[in-house]
Amino acid sequence: MGSSVFKGDQAAPQRSLFNALGLTEEEMNRPLVGIVSSYNEIVPGHMNIDKIVAAVKTGVSMAGGTPIVFPAIAVCDGIAMGHIGMKYSLVTRDLIADSTEAMAIAHQFDALVMVPNCDKNVPGLLMAAARVNIPTIFVSGGPMLAGRVNGQKTSLSSMFEAVGAYAAGKISKEEFQEYEAKTCPTCGSCSGMYTANSMNCLTEALGMGLGGNGTIPGVYSERLKLAKHAGMKVMELLEKDIKPRDIMNEKAFQNALTVDMALGCSTNSMLHLPAIAREAGVKLDLNMANAISAKTPNLCHLAPAGHTYIEELNEAGGVYAVMNELNKLNLLHTDCITCTGKTVGENIAPCVNKNPEIIRSVDHPYSKTGGIAVLKGNLAPDTAVVKQSAVVPEMMVHEGPARVFDCEEDAIAAIKGGKIVEGDVVVIRYEGPKGGPGMREMLNPTSAIAGMGLGSSVALITDGRFSGASRGASIGHVSPEAAVGGPIALVEEGDLIKINIPEHSLNVDISDEEMEERRKKWQPREPKVKTGYLARYAAMVSSASEGAVLNRF
């Protein structure tokens, strides 16, 4: 694209403005490569991205391109958690995609290097890459190292659960303060298989990031080398004219879902992969997830599902080693082209599993089925999603009385007030894409349940969503949501909720006739937000079962 702003007499006004930027004639005779920098000083996963960007620029220049940096926003879900700020997390995904599309096309870049890291920033830039469809590569800021408290490795979920444990008198104030001081010891995306690291790993699986993109810690110098190689590699993609839609085809998304199941990724991937696929012109039906899960073994139990961390996955061989393990069962499309210029099969062939305790072999998986399950039933006629790899065995099938709350805050007050008891099913509604608006994450209530020792006896169901740091029988994305009259809006206190994860079912034990009578009495609620971006988002957003994407018209 750059030729239209550099070449010919008609581009003299544009060249004069590039002169104002200090570009030389030599630089204007090279391809123009946009470096999309997600650097900021508020998100721990992004505070090192200026270093990554500098390394990318070096790589682009070494390979004969002219690197030009422009920004993308990012929200820290951990900082936004538990208050109105969380309404602004998911919604930024579309802001990021829209603004990046605008910058890339307005300035006619020839190629792009995306430098994201945290939760909505990665899928937002993947959506933009698919839209703009010029040669593009991703290199993230990298994961955080695990913390250490009392000789044990910790992650952000440990900190949130410590809040519940302290409230329940299970740990001392001194222990609580030690968690606060030591849980997040470095820059980087939080150290477990939460949403940010899930999406960075899936960027490798999709073929849009180099090997190691999802796992090399942000503080390692190896991450800077990766960034330089990404800068060089984008010039090769430009030369070969390999574009995002060449890479992100239907087979690539099937690969991503398969790797998702093996890794035990965040349930948020079930929102983001369909949204990215739509931008790439691929229809990704969530019902496909159970079919893929049924034949894909779960090979990793990273935090919060277990007590291992991304740094250990990296040492064990990373995402490519997981993919090579899966390939023993012929579960991947190995002929897909990737950002390396090679196929998936060529990329993963030399990568071996260096630690079968971190990456289980396909002959000895944690389970024979994948990490995520999509549920349906009279409570979720479209879909609901659960990270089954993080559910204790005794909660895979559960029946209990509904304890109904119309917002997250009321549920947290009840949990911390000791009003939730063993066997209960906490129902939090009017927190969906429209009803929230913004579909808040429910890490605070799930962490409070776990921290108070109820994680193996209490389930939580919501039309909102969960942080990748949530664990337990946490069922989210219930669709249709309460705000549009979905069945979750009709549940009453004490109704018997029946959960059967192995059978993929989620039901409330009332008759169809009773459900219909309640439906007749239901009245839509006034929107919680009537002004600003959130109001516009609520008016335009689709169901979580469709990826909570903005409707085009």
Side-chain angles (χ1 to χ4, degrees), residues 2-12 15 28-30:
S3 60
S4 62
V5 291
F6 281 154
K7 306 297 183 184
D9 293 342
Q10 76 282 354
R15 288 197 299 274
M28 284 188 260
N29 284 327
R30 295 176 173 184

PDB file of all heavy atoms in Angstrom, residues 2-12 15 28-30:
ATOM      1  N   GLY A   2       2.058   1.192   0.563  1.00  0.00           N
ATOM      2  CA  GLY A   2       2.847   2.395   0.784  1.00  0.00           C
ATOM      3  C   GLY A   2       3.136   3.203  -0.457  1.00  0.00           C
ATOM      4  O   GLY A   2       3.365   4.413  -0.372  1.00  0.00           O
ATOM      5  N   SER A   3       3.137   2.550  -1.624  1.00  0.00           N
ATOM      6  CA  SER A   3       3.471   3.263  -2.847  1.00  0.00           C
ATOM      7  C   SER A   3       2.546   4.446  -3.093  1.00  0.00           C
ATOM      8  O   SER A   3       2.953   5.451  -3.661  1.00  0.00           O
ATOM      9  CB  SER A   3       3.423   2.312  -4.038  1.00  0.00           C
ATOM     10  OG  SER A   3       2.128   1.744  -4.175  1.00  0.00           O
ATOM     11  N   SER A   4       1.296   4.359  -2.638  1.00  0.00           N
ATOM     12  CA  SER A   4       0.348   5.451  -2.890  1.00  0.00           C
ATOM     13  C   SER A   4       0.651   6.692  -2.059  1.00  0.00           C
ATOM     14  O   SER A   4       0.155   7.778  -2.357  1.00  0.00           O
ATOM     15  CB  SER A   4      -1.083   4.981  -2.627  1.00  0.00           C
ATOM     16  OG  SER A   4      -1.238   4.607  -1.275  1.00  0.00           O
ATOM     17  N   VAL A   5       1.469   6.552  -1.025  1.00  0.00           N
ATOM     18  CA  VAL A   5       1.848   7.735  -0.248  1.00  0.00           C
ATOM     19  C   VAL A   5       3.301   8.126  -0.482  1.00  0.00           C
ATOM     20  O   VAL A   5       3.759   9.125   0.070  1.00  0.00           O
ATOM     21  CB  VAL A   5       1.597   7.535   1.264  1.00  0.00           C
ATOM     22  CG1 VAL A   5       0.111   7.485   1.551  1.00  0.00           C
ATOM     23  CG2 VAL A   5       2.290   6.297   1.806  1.00  0.00           C
ATOM     24  N   PHE A   6       4.036   7.357  -1.276  1.00  0.00           N
ATOM     25  CA  PHE A   6       5.435   7.661  -1.544  1.00  0.00           C
ATOM     26  C   PHE A   6       5.727   7.974  -3.009  1.00  0.00           C
ATOM     27  O   PHE A   6       6.614   8.767  -3.308  1.00  0.00           O
ATOM     28  CB  PHE A   6       6.318   6.473  -1.129  1.00  0.00           C
ATOM     29  CG  PHE A   6       6.592   6.358   0.345  1.00  0.00           C
ATOM     30  CD1 PHE A   6       6.873   5.121   0.909  1.00  0.00           C
ATOM     31  CD2 PHE A   6       6.590   7.474   1.172  1.00  0.00           C
ATOM     32  CE1 PHE A   6       7.149   5.000   2.267  1.00  0.00           C
ATOM     33  CE2 PHE A   6       6.851   7.368   2.522  1.00  0.00           C
ATOM     34  CZ  PHE A   6       7.128   6.124   3.078  1.00  0.00           C
ATOM     35  N   LYS A   7       5.047   7.355  -3.937  1.00  0.00           N
ATOM     36  CA  LYS A   7       5.473   7.331  -5.330  1.00  0.00           C
ATOM     37  C   LYS A   7       4.728   8.347  -6.202  1.00  0.00           C
ATOM     38  O   LYS A   7       3.525   8.536  -6.063  1.00  0.00           O
ATOM     39  CB  LYS A   7       5.270   5.927  -5.923  1.00  0.00           C
ATOM     40  CG  LYS A   7       5.929   4.790  -5.136  1.00  0.00           C
ATOM     41  CD  LYS A   7       7.445   4.924  -5.083  1.00  0.00           C
ATOM     42  CE  LYS A   7       8.071   3.734  -4.354  1.00  0.00           C
ATOM     43  NZ  LYS A   7       9.530   3.878  -4.203  1.00  0.00           N
ATOM     44  N   GLY A   8       5.457   8.971  -7.099  1.00  0.00           N
ATOM     45  CA  GLY A   8       4.859   9.829  -8.101  1.00  0.00           C
ATOM     46  C   GLY A   8       4.689  11.278  -7.663  1.00  0.00           C
ATOM     47  O   GLY A   8       4.733  11.606  -6.477  1.00  0.00           O
ATOM     48  N   ASP A   9       4.488  12.148  -8.663  1.00  0.00           N
ATOM     49  CA  ASP A   9       4.322  13.572  -8.366  1.00  0.00           C
ATOM     50  C   ASP A   9       3.105  13.847  -7.492  1.00  0.00           C
ATOM     51  O   ASP A   9       3.108  14.771  -6.670  1.00  0.00           O
ATOM     52  CB  ASP A   9       4.207  14.365  -9.670  1.00  0.00           C
ATOM     53  CG  ASP A   9       5.505  14.361 -10.466  1.00  0.00           C
ATOM     54  OD1 ASP A   9       6.564  14.042  -9.872  1.00  0.00           O
ATOM     55  OD2 ASP A   9       5.446  14.668 -11.677  1.00  0.00           O
ATOM     56  N   GLN A  10       2.055  13.022  -7.704  1.00  0.00           N
ATOM     57  CA  GLN A  10       0.824  13.266  -6.955  1.00  0.00           C
ATOM     58  C   GLN A  10       1.000  13.000  -5.451  1.00  0.00           C
ATOM     59  O   GLN A  10       0.193  13.442  -4.629  1.00  0.00           O
ATOM     60  CB  GLN A  10      -0.327  12.401  -7.497  1.00  0.00           C
ATOM     61  CG  GLN A  10      -0.289  10.921  -7.114  1.00  0.00           C
ATOM     62  CD  GLN A  10       0.710  10.126  -7.934  1.00  0.00           C
ATOM     63  OE1 GLN A  10       1.307  10.655  -8.886  1.00  0.00           O
ATOM     64  NE2 GLN A  10       0.906   8.866  -7.577  1.00  0.00           N
ATOM     65  N   ALA A  11       2.071  12.286  -5.086  1.00  0.00           N
ATOM     66  CA  ALA A  11       2.324  11.989  -3.671  1.00  0.00           C
ATOM     67  C   ALA A  11       3.277  12.985  -3.034  1.00  0.00           C
ATOM     68  O   ALA A  11       3.671  12.811  -1.872  1.00  0.00           O
ATOM     69  CB  ALA A  11       2.882  10.577  -3.527  1.00  0.00           C
ATOM     70  N   ALA A  12       3.621  14.058  -3.750  1.00  0.00           N
ATOM     71  CA  ALA A  12       4.554  15.053  -3.195  1.00  0.00           C
ATOM     72  C   ALA A  12       4.047  15.653  -1.879  1.00  0.00           C
ATOM     73  O   ALA A  12       4.838  15.831  -0.938  1.00  0.00           O
ATOM     74  CB  ALA A  12       4.834  16.141  -4.225  1.00  0.00           C
ATOM     75  N   ARG A  15       4.757  13.157   0.758  1.00  0.00           N
ATOM     76  CA  ARG A  15       6.197  13.065   1.035  1.00  0.00           C
ATOM     77  C   ARG A  15       6.675  14.252   1.853  1.00  0.00           C
ATOM     78  O   ARG A  15       7.572  14.114   2.704  1.00  0.00           O
ATOM     79  CB  ARG A  15       6.991  12.961  -0.270  1.00  0.00           C
ATOM     80  CG  ARG A  15       6.849  11.620  -0.980  1.00  0.00           C
ATOM     81  CD  ARG A  15       7.960  11.404  -2.014  1.00  0.00           C
ATOM     82  NE  ARG A  15       7.949  12.430  -3.062  1.00  0.00           N
ATOM     83  CZ  ARG A  15       7.219  12.386  -4.175  1.00  0.00           C
ATOM     84  NH1 ARG A  15       6.394  11.354  -4.384  1.00  0.00           N
ATOM     85  NH2 ARG A  15       7.281  13.347  -5.077  1.00  0.00           N
ATOM     86  N   MET A  28      11.971   6.424   2.396  1.00  0.00           N
ATOM     87  CA  MET A  28      10.747   6.508   1.605  1.00  0.00           C
ATOM     88  C   MET A  28      10.786   5.605   0.375  1.00  0.00           C
ATOM     89  O   MET A  28       9.768   5.399  -0.275  1.00  0.00           O
ATOM     90  CB  MET A  28      10.478   7.959   1.204  1.00  0.00           C
ATOM     91  CG  MET A  28       9.930   8.801   2.345  1.00  0.00           C
ATOM     92  SD  MET A  28       9.391  10.441   1.817  1.00  0.00           S
ATOM     93  CE  MET A  28      10.778  11.436   2.310  1.00  0.00           C
ATOM     94  N   ASN A  29      11.933   5.063   0.086  1.00  0.00           N
ATOM     95  CA  ASN A  29      12.045   4.119  -1.027  1.00  0.00           C
ATOM     96  C   ASN A  29      11.918   2.659  -0.566  1.00  0.00           C
ATOM     97  O   ASN A  29      12.086   1.749  -1.370  1.00  0.00           O
ATOM     98  CB  ASN A  29      13.377   4.312  -1.759  1.00  0.00           C
ATOM     99  CG  ASN A  29      13.351   5.545  -2.647  1.00  0.00           C
ATOM    100  OD1 ASN A  29      12.308   5.890  -3.194  1.00  0.00           O
ATOM    101  ND2 ASN A  29      14.488   6.223  -2.764  1.00  0.00           N
ATOM    102  N   ARG A  30      11.638   2.487   0.706  1.00  0.00           N
ATOM    103  CA  ARG A  30      11.476   1.143   1.256  1.00  0.00           C
ATOM    104  C   ARG A  30      10.011   0.892   1.620  1.00  0.00           C
ATOM    105  O   ARG A  30       9.243   1.857   1.776  1.00  0.00           O
ATOM    106  CB  ARG A  30      12.331   0.975   2.525  1.00  0.00           C
ATOM    107  CG  ARG A  30      13.826   1.054   2.282  1.00  0.00           C
ATOM    108  CD  ARG A  30      14.559   0.963   3.614  1.00  0.00           C
ATOM    109  NE  ARG A  30      16.003   0.862   3.450  1.00  0.00           N
ATOM    110  CZ  ARG A  30      16.860   0.697   4.453  1.00  0.00           C
ATOM    111  NH1 ARG A  30      16.418   0.604   5.698  1.00  0.00           N
ATOM    112  NH2 ARG A  30      18.157   0.609   4.211  1.00  0.00           N
TER     113      ARG A  30
END
